[in-house]
Amino acid sequence: MRGQLHAAGRRIPLELDATVREIGGELEIEAVTEADHRKLGMTWSPLGIMRAPSKLIVRGRLVRR
């Protein structure tokens, strides 16, 4: 998948590898990528706990109505 991450008034393009699987008649989607938060102007982290790049994990489930 391709998309954009919006944060701190800026945006960066992202490409994500996604997996779709069926669980109990519903579809679950998981996408993972890395993003350099410094490109969003986020250059400081308290105690230095956030290192670039940051790993982003998106999970969702498609539920039939």
Side-chain angles (χ1 to χ4, degrees):
M1 298 184 329
R2 281 187 252 170
Q4 294 185 9
L5 175 64
H6 297 256
R10 297 182 185 181
R11 65 178 134 190
I12 56 174
L14 294 179
E15 289 194 20
L16 298 93
D17 292 325
T19 303
V20 178
R21 61 187 178 149
E22 185 177 350
I23 298 177
E26 298 174 351
L27 294 177
E28 182 179 88
I29 301 169
E30 180 175 287
V32 179
T33 193
E34 292 186 343
D36 189 345
H37 54 273
R38 295 173 297 189
K39 292 180 180 178
L40 295 166
M42 298 176 187
T43 59
W44 180 83
S45 173
L47 306 175
I49 59 175
M50 208 163 96
R51 306 224 190 284
S54 298
K55 186 174 186 177
L56 301 176
I57 302 170
V58 178
R59 289 189 185 110
R61 187 170 284 194
L62 300 174
V63 180
R64 190 175 296 181
R65 286 189 173 202

